[in-house]
Amino acid sequence: MVQPFIFKFGGASIKDSTSLIRIVDILKSRWKNGLVIVVSAAGDTTDHLEEIIQRAIDNLGFSEQLSQLEDFHLNLCRPLFEEGHSIFQQVSNEFTKLKRTLDNEKKQEGNAYFYDQVIGYGELISTRILQELLCQNGHYCVWQDARELIATDSNYKMAKVDWVLTMQRCRKHLADKLETFPVVTQGFIGSDWQGTTTTLGREGSDFTAAILAVSLGAKSVTIWKDVAGILNGDPDLFPDAVKFKYLDFEEAAEMTYFGAKVIHPKTIKPLAKQRIPLYVKSFIDPESSGTVIGNFKDDPKIPITVIRKNQVLASFRIKDLSKVGGFHFEELFNLGKKLNWNVHLTQGSAVTVKMVIDRPDQVSNVLPKSILEIFHVEWEEELTLVTIRNYLPTQEKIYESKAEKIYLAQKSPHTLQLVLSMKTTGKSTVS
Ligand code: ASP
Ligand code: MG
């Protein structure tokens, strides 16, 4: 039995015809049975589809936006395929289906179900194009609908994976195919028990690669990106940032938890559990070594800095002091979970819980009455969260001197987190 291995290509690596040719070149020398190619939507397609979905919900016309998106895809294909190739018809057919879905599916404001029925067309179309292109270049491969593989619950827009069922489906639909042909499939989408399309959350294709790897007992996952590998800081902010050759699973998980945008946060955990190495490589310079994420516990710890802007510091203070106790932590974590908060730091005392959260709009608008009855809530907006793993004492001093004000600091032996303002901030009170 061949041992599968997974390659994942993101939107940036299929944003134009030249990039698609580059993918074919990368795959040429790595082509063998067992290869599963996971692909995102081309370029900014998912953003455009989100805009179209919103227009449909608001009952605004969307035909212009839709035909622009169709043209973008047909233009991707023009330099790659001869006139009359079936791919042009396939792309147009997908757009006809997409339009039908937009017109006929039930929609209402915030309708996650409607969103999921539309948004996955980006991946369904990009995978058709890549599969046809590979076949045309003599690399015969099979197009596989990921909804037959990834089983989820019906929590649209942020579906939870049913690992047992997914494993069964992967064995059933993929194992035999992979003995004979590589497979091209979509990231991001799955289906619930009724067969309805679901999605794993924005940027979820990395996670798809990990799910397939675990379900198939893969040898490795390789994520091809437009960066050289994983760096120890954002190169736009830190020109002398260095690339990791090796990175321990735990360090990588911490980085993504603290908000580094290198890989989707859910990707690391399942791979670490199964000890499946994750390679992050450049599709622009495919021969360079990139970064390997694996079990490297004893490696020297290099400082890693993650900077998140536009953060909100929410402070929840108990109104009725007779209620002081541990329970309010749970209350707030449940709230965060329900509202899909992206929390990067929590600090608690008997009376107050502070949370640093990504999405300011959600913090201020939707606090339920039940929470406001218990807590006095305040929040500060437009803050910056600096997280340094394996920090050096000098680094703390540098940020102290740069900050206008430090709102919160949290230190453990390995991690320093500072919530600070670089410019004027707004302050609001809810109750
Ligand atoms: N196309 C989806 C998105 O842009 C999934 C992904 O790219 O990973 O969010
Ligand atoms: Mg994408």
Side-chain angles (χ1 to χ4, degrees):
M1 204 188 102
V2 292
Q3 191 176 17
F5 62 108
I6 320 287
F7 279 4
K8 183 257 165 175
F9 293 95
S13 46
I14 35 171
K15 67 177 194 302
D16 51 29
S17 315
T18 320
S19 310
L20 276 156
I21 292 170
R22 195 175 280 141
I23 296 189
V24 176
D25 274 344
I26 289 173
L27 292 173
K28 209 187 289 175
S29 57
R30 297 166 174 89
W31 196 253
K32 56 179 181 212
N33 293 344
L35 172 60
V36 180
I37 304 160
V38 176
V39 186
S40 298
D44 296 329
T45 299
T46 309
D47 291 337
H48 294 304
L49 284 171
E50 280 194 348
E51 192 199 329
I52 289 169
I53 290 166
Q54 197 51 52
R55 291 185 72 87
I57 289 169
D58 295 342
N59 286 319
L60 298 168
F62 52 77
S63 51
E64 197 184 314
Q65 286 76 6
L66 200 61
S67 76
Q68 275 171 8
L69 198 57
E70 184 170 357
D71 284 347
F72 163 73
H73 283 88
L74 293 171
N75 286 335
L76 263 187
C77 297
R78 282 198 179 101
L80 303 171
F81 299 92
E82 285 198 353
E83 223 185 302
H85 189 286
S86 74
I87 189 64
F88 295 102
Q89 196 55 51
Q90 290 184 53
V91 170
S92 295
N93 287 349
E94 291 298 330
F95 272 92
T96 308
K97 281 195 259 171
L98 169 55
K99 179 157 189 315
R100 207 177 300 142
T101 309
L102 281 160
D103 287 336
N104 298 343
E105 284 289 1
K106 200 166 68 97
K107 50 186 168 265
Q108 59 197 54
E109 184 59 56
N111 190 334
Y113 164 82
F114 177 62
Y115 178 98
D116 275 6
Q117 305 324 300
V118 175
I119 202 84
Y121 274 94
E123 274 73 11
L124 292 168
I125 297 167
S126 66
T127 45
R128 289 272 178 216
I129 298 173
L130 182 62
Q131 188 242 354
E132 288 289 355
L133 185 65
L134 286 164
C135 289
Q136 176 174 271
N137 281 273
H139 304 306
Y140 196 73
C141 53
V142 176
W143 185 90
Q144 169 69 49
D145 192 328
R147 294 169 294 186
E148 289 179 356
L149 307 174
I150 309 288
T152 71
D153 65 7
S154 305
N155 186 18
Y156 301 112
K157 264 184 134 169
M158 197 56 82
K160 219 170 138 231
V161 177
D162 180 331
W163 290 90
V164 174
L165 195 53
T166 300
M167 190 177 286
Q168 285 169 7
R169 288 179 174 189
C170 283
R171 298 266 146 96
K172 183 170 161 208
H173 293 288
L174 276 189
D176 285 349
K177 280 181 197 153
L178 287 172
E179 293 291 330
T180 334
F181 301 114
V183 165
V184 177
T185 194
Q186 307 79 43
F188 185 45
I189 57 174
S191 68
D192 66 10
W193 66 276
Q194 287 175 302
T196 307
T197 307
T198 56
T199 60
L200 303 171
R202 284 298 309 261
E203 308 299 330
S205 298
D206 291 350
F207 186 35
T208 303
I211 299 166
L212 294 177
V214 167
S215 303
L216 291 163
K219 197 169 168 218
S220 63
V221 174
T222 306
I223 295 184
W224 296 89
K225 289 183 77 79
D226 53 356
V227 290
I230 297 186
L231 307 183
N232 73 335
D234 179 346
D236 290 340
L237 302 171
F238 304 96
D240 48 3
V242 290
K243 188 190 80 186
F244 288 98
K245 241 181 142 119
Y246 305 98
L247 188 62
D248 188 61
F249 279 127
E250 195 177 313
E251 292 293 305
E254 295 280 11
M255 274 177 92
T256 57
Y257 173 74
F258 294 133
K261 283 195 167 153
V262 270
I263 7 188
H264 189 277
K266 287 185 185 159
T267 311
I268 309 287
K269 210 167 117 193
L271 295 177
K273 225 166 133 193
Q274 301 294 322
R275 296 173 167 252
I276 299 171
L278 171 63
Y279 296 86
V280 179
K281 280 178 73 86
S282 159
F283 71 84
I284 295 164
D285 183 11
E287 299 314 320
S288 71
S289 59
T291 299
V292 192
I293 303 173
N295 278 314
F296 303 113
K297 285 260 179 299
D298 301 332
D299 262 34
K301 302 287 179 231
I302 299 170
I304 303 168
T305 309
V306 180
I307 304 219
R308 296 287 292 196
K309 295 204 169 131
N310 203 15
Q311 300 291 295
V312 171
L313 171 63
S315 305
F316 301 87
R317 189 156 44 82
I318 283 214
K319 284 180 179 169
D320 177 355
L321 287 184
S322 68
K323 294 229 171 74
V324 166
F327 86 97
H328 47 285
F329 262 108
E330 202 183 318
E331 198 98 3
L332 291 170
F333 280 128
N334 288 340
L335 174 72
K337 219 168 140 191
K338 211 169 114 205
L339 299 178
N340 274 333
W341 282 353
N342 226 342
V343 181
H344 298 298
L345 169 62
T346 313
Q347 201 175 66
S349 70
V351 189
T352 310
V353 175
K354 294 183 182 213
M355 286 177 160
V356 179
I357 308 166
D358 240 358
R359 303 167 71 178
D361 48 325
Q362 295 223 5
V363 180
S364 44
N365 292 339
V366 286
L367 287 176
K369 218 168 128 232
S370 58
I371 290 289
L372 295 176
E373 273 165 9
I374 307 174
F375 301 102
H376 176 75
V377 187
E378 272 189 5
W379 74 92
E380 299 281 343
E381 295 182 2
E382 289 184 49
L383 301 181
T384 300
L385 170 65
V386 180
T387 304
I388 313 176
R389 284 281 291 171
N390 310 315
Y391 63 98
L392 308 168
T394 47
Q395 287 176 298
E396 186 172 358
K397 296 265 171 326
I398 292 171
Y399 285 99
E400 277 170 6
S401 69
K402 275 186 183 170
E404 187 187 73
K405 180 176 171 187
I406 296 190
Y407 286 77
L408 203 118
Q410 189 156 286
K411 272 191 211 178
S412 74
H414 296 299
T415 307
L416 167 69
Q417 290 193 288
L418 299 169
V419 181
L420 44 89
S421 60
M422 296 288 199
K423 52 177 187 175
T424 28
T425 61
K427 181 169 180 166
S428 319
T429 308
V430 195
S431 67

